[in-house]
Amino acid sequence: MTRADTPADAATEPIRLLDADGSLVESDANAEWRELAAQLSTDDRLEMHGEMLRTRRFDIEAGHLQRQGKLGLWVPSIGQEGAQVGAAWASREQDTIFPSYREHLIALHRGVDMLQIIDIFRGAVHGGWDPLETRGMRIYSLVIATHALHSTGYAMGIRLDGACGTGDASRDEAVMAFYGDGAASQGDASEGLVFAASYDAPIVFFVQNNKWAISVPSTRQSRTPLHERARGFGLDAAWVDGNDPLASFAVTRRMLDAARQGRPGYVEADTYRMGAHTTSDDPTRYRPSEEEEAWRRRDPIARLAAHLRELGVDDAALAEQDAEATELAADMRRRTLAAGTAASDDIFDHVYSEPHPLVLEQKRALAEFEAGFGGEA
């Protein structure tokens, strides 16, 4: 198969393994993807359901905290958990993840603590976390699409270091960059595709097309489907039902393993942002409630729960996961309310790996300035 010649060519529907009611979709067209999804045991699928539940409860509680004045802003991911959980499980331990700012499930899956995410949005940290402690999960990128270049450059470095291309998927490294349909309109996103294709970088761009870039619909941003645009840059590309966790896993696993061998990929996940773009946004001003309701019936959590019941998982197991998710979100709330404020001079401590005289002078000057107001700095 040549570059950009993927089974999704001329597709009229995204790749799907589970219907909205949780029933399996079996056809000759998706046989390859069903075989890949078979790598997931029933226990794996149950844990995927648990991760989606935990993320949603966390998401809802974070929104409450913002409304109560504890966060400056919150970016919800409700409705997009299916795309993210499939991609998270498709990644391998040695992979590096470059998120935007809505990949809460991906972050939690890779080991980021809920409070570390919260701290970003309450202004308590000046970055996020150490990727060496979060299984290659890089910090959130709030500037739209800049990380499309960062991730591509990192992937080019992997190739130059000889850390991919051996044919051993358990060792070869790959990179995933996550962004949305709005970011796909940025020049940085296109430049990332150019360099990824030109240098056979081991990267997969995972684009969650949630239909709205704030108030601009994706149909206005791009007259051509995003996955078809990616093929024009010379990448393998696929269009997947982003509310189907199994399809998201299967397609992303294949794309990542191809990327390890020098075939960069692009996954367009067809999904929907159920909430606001951020808590500063009011989606009722630009999109109809009928559209939201139609997508609500395609909820990825309900879809996977129905599939698990078909596999013999009882309601008690699902209820136990729900109770655990609720308690974890409540614990996050308690820890947030009890958390202190970061020292204002922390921003100087990690600019350079070694002490720098100019930075030390700036830190001293800030302390002197704040002391002039009296009380504690």
Side-chain angles (χ1 to χ4, degrees), residues 97 115 136 188 207 230 277 283 309 324 330 336 343 366 373:
I97 312 296
L115 198 60
D188 287 352
V207 179
H277 176 73
R309 291 188 184 97
E324 177 194 10
T336 300
L366 177 63
F373 292 97

Side-chain angles (χ1 to χ4, degrees), residues 10-304:
T12 58
E13 291 287 335
I15 297 164
R16 181 178 297 117
L17 299 179
L18 291 179
D19 268 337
D21 63 2
S23 59
L24 280 171
V25 178
E26 297 184 272
S27 68
D28 292 340
N30 71 13
E32 174 187 2
W33 311 114
R34 281 187 283 117
E35 183 178 349
L36 283 165
Q39 297 175 13
L40 297 169
S41 67
T42 299
D43 286 344
D44 290 336
R45 298 175 193 207
L46 182 60
E47 177 55 26
M48 292 170 77
H49 178 265
E51 287 191 19
M52 289 196 290
L53 271 178
R54 292 192 291 273
T55 303
R56 180 157 307 178
R57 295 292 179 268
F58 162 66
D59 212 325
I60 292 171
E61 194 60 62
H64 293 334
L65 286 165
Q66 194 282 328
R67 294 305 188 202
Q68 293 160 3
K70 304 303 179 182
L71 309 182
L73 184 76
W74 181 245
V75 183
S77 64
I78 295 171
Q80 298 179 217
E81 300 95 344
Q84 291 190 24
V85 78
W89 279 69
S91 66
R92 299 184 187 271
E93 192 67 25
Q94 69 272 22
D95 293 339
T96 300
I97 312 296
F98 284 81
S100 56
Y101 46 73
R102 206 184 300 274
E103 281 68 51
H104 309 319
L105 190 149
I106 307 287
L108 296 174
H109 178 85
R110 299 297 285 195
V112 177
D113 186 271
M114 288 182 179
L115 198 60
Q116 289 178 292
I117 300 174
I118 290 295
D119 278 349
I120 295 173
F121 294 98
R122 72 185 190 95
V125 294
H126 299 292
W129 46 78
D130 184 349
L132 295 178
E133 298 175 356
T134 54
R135 298 167 56 211
M137 180 73 180
R138 297 282 161 163
I139 63 174
Y140 279 11
S141 176
L142 301 180
V143 182
I144 307 300
T146 54
H147 63 298
L149 296 177
H150 306 156
S151 55
T152 301
Y154 191 91
M156 290 165 61
I158 287 174
R159 185 172 182 272
L160 292 171
D161 287 343
C164 63
T166 71
D168 183 354
S170 67
R171 296 181 60 185
D172 286 340
E173 296 182 29
V175 173
M176 263 202 294
F178 289 85
Y179 54 84
D181 50 291
S185 295
Q186 293 285 98
D188 287 352
S190 292
E191 290 169 18
L193 301 183
V194 169
F195 277 83
S198 297
Y199 288 88
D200 297 325
I203 186 171
V204 171
F205 299 93
F206 192 97
V207 179
Q208 296 167 86
N209 185 346
N210 65 19
K211 305 301 176 288
W212 293 92
I214 309 183
S215 59
V216 180
S218 57
T219 51
R220 185 176 303 162
Q221 297 173 66
S222 178
R223 299 300 185 186
T224 303
L226 297 178
H227 60 282
E228 292 185 12
R229 180 194 292 179
R231 291 196 188 105
F233 283 89
L235 275 72
D236 287 345
W239 184 30
V240 64
D241 184 338
N243 286 17
D244 177 351
L246 302 189
S248 179
F249 167 83
V251 171
T252 311
R253 171 58 63 92
R254 178 192 153 173
M255 284 287 183
L256 275 171
D257 286 348
R260 299 177 206 285
Q261 307 311 312
R263 292 180 54 170
Y266 189 102
V267 177
E268 179 185 356
D270 187 50
T271 185
Y272 194 78
R273 165 172 55 81
M274 292 303 302
H277 176 73
T278 72
T279 46
S280 63
D281 170 44
D282 178 8
T284 65
R285 298 183 62 182
Y286 55 80
R287 68 186 193 190
S289 58
E290 294 82 7
E291 179 181 282
E292 292 184 25
E293 187 55 37
W295 278 92
R296 198 178 309 281
R297 292 192 291 271
R298 299 170 62 179
D299 183 273
I301 298 178
R303 184 184 297 199
L304 188 56

